[in-house]
């Protein structure tokens, strides 16, 4: 099973925009929706984006998702110290008939 | 507010069966929009989907674990469970239960998660 590919880390200063990429294939991102999660150690992951671009209520609009072909991205604008966490993308994979997670990206606010 | 809570032994011996339960509160488990899922995270590694179950009894498992995994529902008790047989040290991980939302053919991801439970496989 191949995980979706994310950069291991990303960083920015407060107020900047950080973009995290998520690369997959035609059997997952290319044909299915992507969701994004924020994960802090010892806590439950929290959904930030679902169905590629939609935000659950309570998630600020400075977080946005996009998808093109077999890749997706999560952009965090107006970076804040609270944004320091691990971020994961997820998509259903038709070949596996199940989900594949991204490799995870640790965001650091400098 | 929907809440999920994992429970079960934190230590399992090699070759034995890992058994965990997830208790759901705040919503019905019988809605047609939900699959009930298990996900794990080995120490220092990323998240891995284990499998999911629908109210009909249909189950779907990660092929890498397929022969060892069983997920079952007990909707009358608002619970679902995970059994993983023949465990090894590689199964040591933080195990999460989560609700997976599908509205028609629209995959809306995992909207609620438990806090996670650490299971260590060791003699």
């Amino acid at each position: 099973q191949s995980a979706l590919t994310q950069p291991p880390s990303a960083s920015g200063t407060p107020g900047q925009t950080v973009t995290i990429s998520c690369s997959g294939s035609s059997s997952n991102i290319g044909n299915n929706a992507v969701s994004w999660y924020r994960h802090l150690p010892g806590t439950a992951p929290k959904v930030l984006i679902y169905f590629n671009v939609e935000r659950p209520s309570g998630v600020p609009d400075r977080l946005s998702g996009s998808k093109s072909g077999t890749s997706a991205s999560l952009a965090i604008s107006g970076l804040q110290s609270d944004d320091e966490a691990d971020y994961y993308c997820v998509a259903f994979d038709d070949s596996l008939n199940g989900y594949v997670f991204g490799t995870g990206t640790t965001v650091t606010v400098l | 507010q929907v809440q999920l809570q994992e429970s079960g032994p934190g230590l399992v011996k090699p070759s034995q069966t890992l058994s965990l339960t997830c208790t759901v509160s705040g919503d019905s488990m019988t809605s047609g929009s939900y699959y009930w899922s298990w996900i794990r995270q080995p120490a220092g590694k990323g998240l891995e989907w284990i499998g999911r179950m629908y109210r009909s009894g249909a189950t779907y498992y990660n092929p890498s674990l397929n022969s060892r995994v069983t997920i079952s529902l007990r909707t009358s008790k608002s619970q679902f469970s995970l059994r993983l047989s023949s465990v090894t040290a590689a199964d040591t991980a933080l195990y999460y239960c989560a609700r997976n939302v599908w509205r028609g053919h629209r995959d809306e991801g995992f909207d609620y998660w438990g806090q996670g439970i650490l299971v260590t496989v060791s003699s």
Side-chain angles (χ1 to χ4, degrees):
Chain A
Q1 172 190 0
S2 298
L4 305 176
T5 302
Q6 298 179 233
S9 62
S11 62
T13 56
Q16 282 190 328
T17 296
V18 166
T19 301
I20 302 168
S21 61
C22 175
S23 178
S25 67
S26 57
S27 64
N28 42 64
I29 295 178
N31 200 39
N32 295 293
V34 177
S35 53
W36 289 90
Y37 302 83
R38 174 183 291 164
H39 189 205
L40 290 163
T43 69
K46 175 185 175 181
V47 59
L48 303 174
I49 299 290
Y50 66 93
F51 206 66
N52 305 319
V53 299
E54 301 197 13
R55 282 185 304 275
S57 60
V59 174
D61 60 6
R62 62 188 186 82
L63 279 81
S64 61
S66 64
K67 188 180 101 166
S68 178
T70 59
S71 294
S73 294
L74 173 71
I76 307 173
S77 63
L79 200 62
Q80 303 174 359
S81 58
D82 285 351
D83 294 324
E84 286 203 332
D86 294 328
Y87 293 80
Y88 292 90
C89 57
V90 183
F92 190 84
D93 189 293
D94 296 329
S95 300
L96 298 174
N97 198 21
Y99 285 93
V100 286
F101 279 83
T103 48
T105 299
T106 299
V107 169
T108 303
V109 181
L110 302 172
Chain B
Q1 174 74 351
V2 177
Q3 292 186 320
L4 284 73
Q5 180 66 57
E6 304 90 349
S7 60
L11 180 64
V12 182
K13 289 181 168 40
S15 80
Q16 293 191 341
T17 297
L18 176 160
S19 295
L20 297 176
T21 297
C22 182
T23 301
V24 181
S25 60
D27 198 0
S28 170
M29 291 187 67
T30 57
S31 166
S33 298
Y34 308 139
Y35 288 80
W36 302 96
S37 299
W38 288 94
I39 293 154
R40 70 180 183 179
Q41 183 178 34
K45 297 187 178 181
L47 297 165
E48 178 184 35
W49 178 76
I50 297 171
R52 63 178 183 162
M53 187 168 190
Y54 191 59
R55 63 177 183 175
S56 64
T59 51
Y60 310 86
Y61 300 133
N62 187 322
S64 67
L65 302 169
N66 191 31
S67 61
R68 299 195 292 129
V69 176
T70 303
I71 295 175
S72 56
L73 297 186
R74 282 200 297 180
T75 55
S76 61
K77 291 196 169 187
S78 294
Q79 293 178 334
F80 62 108
S81 63
L82 168 71
R83 288 174 58 85
L84 182 65
S85 63
S86 305
V87 297
T88 69
D91 296 310
T92 294
L94 196 54
Y95 285 77
Y96 295 96
C97 57
R99 191 174 80 171
N100 174 212
V101 184
W102 280 75
R103 302 193 194 280
H105 294 288
R106 184 179 153 107
D107 176 9
E108 298 190 357
F110 302 89
D111 63 346
Y112 288 99
W113 298 62
Q115 291 292 315
I117 183 169
L118 178 61
V119 179
T120 301
V121 178
S122 175
S123 55

